[in-house]
Amino acid sequence: MVSWLVFVCLLLILPVSVAIADDQSAKPIAFAARIVGDENRGRLLIDFDKSVDYEVFLLDEPQRIVMDLSETLFSLEGEVKGLPRSLIKAFRYGSIGEGRSRVVLELLSPATVESHRIREIASENRHRLFVDFKAASTTDFAKLTRDPAEIKQPDIVKKRAKPRQKFNIVLDPGHGGIDGGAAGERNTIEKNVTLAFALQLRNELIKNERFNVIMTRDDDTFLGLTKRLQVARDSKADLFLSIHADSLAQKSIRGATVYTLSDKGSDRISRMLARRQNRTDLIAGLKLPEVKPQVSDIFIDMTRRETEVFSNQFAGLLVQRMRDGIKLIRNPHRSADFFVLKAPEVPSVLLELGYLSNLEDEALMGSKEWQTLAVQRTHEAIADFFDIRLAQK
């Protein structure tokens, strides 16, 4: 979670003070990154608008090269991919607490860092971080992992604030109260399915000491879309998961679906579902407020882009976990303009557990065995996501 941008208001963008703008502009911006090399040797290059303090070390389980940075703003277009024959499996980045950011190279096989340096390229108005690495034996990797101090690095520990010990997860069971949501042919009501699933997931998550779980509702209460969003923002949520079990005119369509935010929508069904969900407040006679046009301010825009990366990352992990035992719709990661996903600083995903318009899906969602498995897979995806977000060990 990017704590310095909690002030961004979804419904009413207030003028940003000069003091805040000056504070943000003082932080380095990482605006480009790439990886070159092969299965024996490689180099990571990251371009910043100004110099940045950093340190490099190795971590295991999974094997990775880690770069801790003084607080940095990321404006990278998506994830940087490793080459097909490179040592790198995945590239990740983000905030790990106030005053600290982190870049991670997850390795396909053991490697050690040969050298690292940051150099000003005055002609291009940038500072470039070089990290050179090479293939190594498991023994050599393990030695450096056990004793990261063997890697020469600047001392930036004194600049670090104590990292947050827990992540805030907001679970949002769709509908409730006078808004029952969809209904199946066997009279299964969506609001009951979503609440039962969310309560079971909450009970599993709170067993993990890393997680605080906040529910937008924990009983049969109606809650407007704006209030659901506000719960996420007031809770300084690190992840917002909205849970639904909709219905479609096409009764043959079935399977879990994971949605992230998109202004246009990935397909006709997604656009239709978003329109229906966004009209939920009309049931209670409420009018959904209009969202102000996107502000061009660079820091707000960067927050939206970073949040989008994290939302897509979690969606991918959730789909990956769900593939193990849970029926998924074709092309299960989709996008649409769901209002509840619009908090600019909160990674947000909407999970359709299935479709009550399909008899098989309705039966599964009423099955204790299926519910337990789906909760387990969602729990695993959430744990994966925060492992990737690099919670402090």
Side-chain angles (χ1 to χ4, degrees):
M1 173 63 59
V2 187
S3 60
W4 45 266
L5 274 167
V6 172
F7 69 91
V8 179
C9 179
L10 179 65
L11 304 177
L12 180 62
I13 303 296
L14 299 176
V16 181
S17 71
V18 173
I20 292 176
D22 288 345
D23 178 63
Q24 302 308 313
S25 62
K27 297 170 185 174
I29 299 172
F31 60 87
R34 63 186 183 277
I35 299 167
V36 296
D38 55 28
E39 67 272 21
N40 297 312
R41 194 176 297 271
R43 168 177 283 183
L44 168 69
L45 304 97
I46 306 178
D47 289 340
F48 303 84
D49 67 330
K50 63 187 67 174
S51 188
V52 60
D53 292 319
Y54 75 98
E55 59 178 334
V56 181
F57 53 95
L58 304 179
L59 289 177
D60 206 350
E61 296 181 353
Q63 295 175 338
R64 57 206 190 273
I65 299 171
V66 178
M67 286 133 279
D68 273 5
L69 313 172
S70 51
E71 189 168 2
T72 300
L73 309 179
F74 292 95
S75 183
L76 303 176
E77 292 296 333
E79 294 187 359
V80 175
K81 304 295 184 182
L83 299 175
R85 294 170 53 247
S86 75
L87 289 162
I88 305 305
K89 178 181 180 181
F91 174 90
R92 300 188 291 269
Y93 56 86
S95 171
I96 55 168
E98 186 178 354
R100 290 185 67 193
S101 298
R102 179 171 285 184
V103 173
V104 178
L105 296 178
E106 187 172 339
L107 299 168
L108 282 168
S109 57
T112 57
V113 176
E114 286 188 295
S115 64
H116 50 83
R117 63 196 181 282
I118 192 162
R119 181 165 64 89
E120 182 179 8
I121 306 177
S123 61
E124 300 179 13
N125 296 316
R126 67 184 68 200
H127 287 72
R128 178 167 293 166
L129 174 63
F130 299 81
V131 180
D132 293 315
F133 48 91
K134 65 177 181 179
S137 67
T138 302
T139 301
D140 287 343
F141 180 87
K143 287 179 180 178
L144 290 173
T145 302
R146 285 195 298 268
D147 187 6
E150 292 180 23
I151 302 175
K152 295 180 180 180
Q153 54 198 256
D155 179 14
I156 64 171
V157 174
K158 61 185 178 182
K159 299 182 181 180
R160 297 174 178 167
K162 184 178 180 180
R164 286 168 54 185
Q165 298 301 306
K166 290 196 173 186
F167 293 103
N168 294 328
I169 301 168
V170 173
L171 301 181
D172 175 45
H175 308 282
I178 61 173
D179 174 19
E185 290 193 18
R186 296 189 178 97
N187 296 318
T188 305
I189 306 301
E190 182 178 6
K191 68 176 183 178
N192 298 330
V193 172
T194 61
L195 181 59
F197 183 89
L199 289 172
Q200 188 174 347
L201 179 57
R202 178 193 65 183
N203 293 339
E204 287 301 312
L205 288 171
I206 61 178
K207 295 175 184 178
N208 189 321
E209 62 182 12
R210 292 190 299 168
F211 300 144
N212 285 321
V213 181
I214 302 97
M215 303 279 289
T216 57
R217 68 178 183 98
D218 56 11
D219 56 19
D220 188 18
T221 300
F222 176 81
L223 196 68
L225 299 176
T226 304
K227 290 184 178 179
R228 293 173 189 267
L229 261 181
Q230 200 58 48
V231 170
R233 308 191 78 232
D234 290 347
S235 303
K236 297 180 173 59
D238 297 292
L239 180 66
F240 176 85
L241 179 61
S242 192
I243 301 160
H244 290 263
D246 225 302
S247 63
L248 299 170
Q250 304 92 327
K251 295 185 178 182
S252 62
I253 295 178
R254 60 178 299 240
T257 314
V258 180
Y259 286 98
T260 48
L261 182 66
S262 168
D263 292 337
K264 296 180 179 180
S266 57
D267 57 88
R268 183 178 59 83
I269 290 176
S270 300
R271 292 190 292 271
M272 180 272 294
L273 287 174
R275 286 194 298 270
R276 182 187 300 170
Q277 294 296 341
N278 292 349
R279 290 197 298 266
T280 293
D281 284 13
L282 296 178
I283 294 174
L286 305 176
K287 182 180 179 182
L288 192 66
E290 293 183 2
V291 179
K292 296 288 183 181
Q294 182 173 341
V295 179
S296 59
D297 182 277
I298 183 173
F299 302 113
I300 296 174
D301 182 57
M302 286 170 57
T303 296
R304 291 181 189 276
R305 282 196 281 169
E306 184 175 45
T307 299
E308 181 182 352
V309 169
F310 290 138
S311 298
N312 287 326
Q313 185 179 67
F314 174 65
L317 292 167
L318 184 53
V319 167
Q320 182 179 336
R321 285 293 187 176
M322 286 282 190
R323 289 192 189 280
D324 184 8
I326 302 297
K327 170 67 177 177
L328 296 172
I329 198 171
R330 182 183 298 179
N331 301 322
H333 181 186
R334 302 189 179 199
S335 61
D337 191 26
F338 289 100
F339 187 84
V340 292
L341 303 182
K342 288 191 173 183
E345 77 280 23
V346 180
S348 303
V349 164
L350 187 146
L351 170 63
E352 289 279 1
L353 297 171
Y355 295 94
L356 289 174
S357 46
N358 181 275
L359 285 173
E360 292 177 272
D361 271 6
E362 183 181 7
L364 281 175
M365 285 186 278
S367 159
K368 292 293 184 183
E369 181 180 355
W370 183 91
Q371 292 170 8
T372 299
L373 180 59
V375 163
Q376 179 183 344
R377 294 293 176 258
T378 307
H379 183 186
E380 290 167 351
I382 291 171
D384 290 344
F385 177 68
F386 287 107
D387 284 342
I388 290 173
R389 292 292 301 270
L390 303 166
Q392 182 70 22
K393 289 193 170 185

